[in-house]
Amino acid sequence: MRSSLSRIFHSRLRWQTALVAAATAAALTVIALHGFRRIQEAQRQLVRKELDASLRVQEAALQRWTEELLASAQAAGIALGTQPATLTLTTEPDSQPARADVRSTLDRLAAAHGYRGYAFVRQGKVVLASERGLEGRPAAAPADVIARVRSGKSALVRPGEGIDGQASTRLFVAGPVVSATAGYLGAAVFAVESRSRLAEILMAGRLGESGESYAFTRAGLMLSESRFEKDLLQLGLLESEDEALVE
């Protein structure tokens, strides 16, 4: 009898022990999952804060750069407007001496401000002088840019809205050209060397040592550099290196 009771007691003890162990394991699993989820959420919050801080740094740098470009274009337009040849060229668009003088002035202004190219565009959006030989050709520009320049303020021509009417990744800045005697004459448009500056801005706000930021136009054209450019070229996703760069 005692032996039977002992076996029953030990059997129940083993069963209870196993039940307690299982319950303990389940509780520990729940605690571990809860802790893991809290760690995940904390990591998400940390990454989100770092990303927000990175974006603020990049936005501030882009804003400063934009202000610098607008100020330099405004100054360049004023300087061009003071030249007698500029007024002459608007009234005599075929005057070679006037065009040569205007080109000389634009060459000097472009070099002083670090621009890659230029064009002097008359009120009717016709190119009067250009380093690329675009004289006589129409210059396409968004209506808001034209309106801003006509009002006496410099403006950015956003990538994808180039003055040649094509979906270019190049960035242009335009400054109003105003004569003291004749008033508004047109716009001095400059191509901005933006590749290196944009890379600096994006690098300044990157996450960690290997994080990368990219800039795109509204149409999806990639403006910034990528360390994966060679891979994209090999895969045929880019036809040439120039397509991935701000020219």
Side-chain angles (χ1 to χ4, degrees):
M1 184 67 176
R2 289 181 178 179
S3 177
S4 297
L5 290 174
S6 176
R7 283 198 299 273
I8 293 172
F9 173 77
H10 286 293
S11 177
R12 288 181 177 177
L13 182 61
R14 286 195 298 272
W15 178 78
Q16 290 175 347
T17 301
L19 184 61
V20 170
T24 302
L28 290 174
T29 300
V30 171
I31 293 172
L33 287 173
H34 181 68
F36 178 69
R37 287 171 181 167
R38 292 188 64 181
I39 292 173
Q40 278 188 320
E41 183 58 28
Q43 289 176 334
R44 289 194 195 98
Q45 292 291 340
L46 180 60
V47 171
R48 191 174 294 114
K49 288 180 180 179
E50 290 180 350
L51 181 58
D52 288 342
S54 172
L55 288 174
R56 285 195 295 272
V57 169
Q58 292 172 348
E59 287 175 354
L62 284 170
Q63 182 62 34
R64 288 193 298 271
W65 184 36
T66 299
E67 292 172 356
E68 291 172 5
L69 290 174
L70 293 174
S72 65
Q74 191 81 23
I78 291 173
L80 186 60
T82 61
Q83 303 300 311
T86 305
L87 178 57
T88 301
L89 188 60
T90 60
T91 56
E92 302 174 28
D94 295 326
S95 173
Q96 294 302 321
R99 178 174 291 126
D101 286 346
V102 169
R103 278 181 175 175
S104 177
T105 300
L106 288 169
D107 277 329
R108 176 175 53 80
L109 293 172
H113 295 284
Y115 298 129
R116 289 193 63 175
Y118 61 78
F120 173 45
V121 182
R122 194 170 53 185
Q123 293 188 41
K125 297 189 297 183
V126 176
V127 177
L128 295 181
S130 166
E131 96 290 356
R132 296 174 59 188
L134 301 177
E135 289 81 4
R137 292 179 54 180
D144 60 329
V145 172
I146 296 174
R148 183 178 173 86
V149 175
R150 281 182 176 275
S151 71
K153 298 178 182 178
S154 54
L156 287 176
V157 182
R158 294 178 292 270
E161 299 178 344
I163 62 171
D164 54 4
Q166 300 178 354
S168 172
T169 58
R170 301 181 74 184
L171 176 65
F172 295 89
V173 61
V177 179
V178 180
S179 166
T181 57
Y184 177 74
L185 300 178
V189 183
F190 298 95
V192 179
E193 174 58 73
S194 53
R195 177 185 174 186
S196 58
R197 185 65 179 273
L198 187 58
E200 291 175 4
I201 291 173
L202 294 176
M203 283 289 290
R206 73 176 183 178
L207 294 176
E209 293 297 324
S210 60
E212 287 195 8
S213 297
Y214 304 108
F216 294 86
T217 67
R218 294 177 180 177
L221 292 174
M222 187 173 179
L223 301 178
S224 53
E225 295 176 298
S226 170
R227 57 179 172 172
F228 303 110
E229 281 179 23
K230 292 183 178 179
D231 297 327
L232 294 173
L233 287 167
Q234 291 176 354
L235 292 172
L237 297 177
L238 290 178
E239 294 182 2
S240 67
E241 294 184 1
D242 289 341
E243 291 190 12
L245 304 177
V246 178
E247 300 179 347

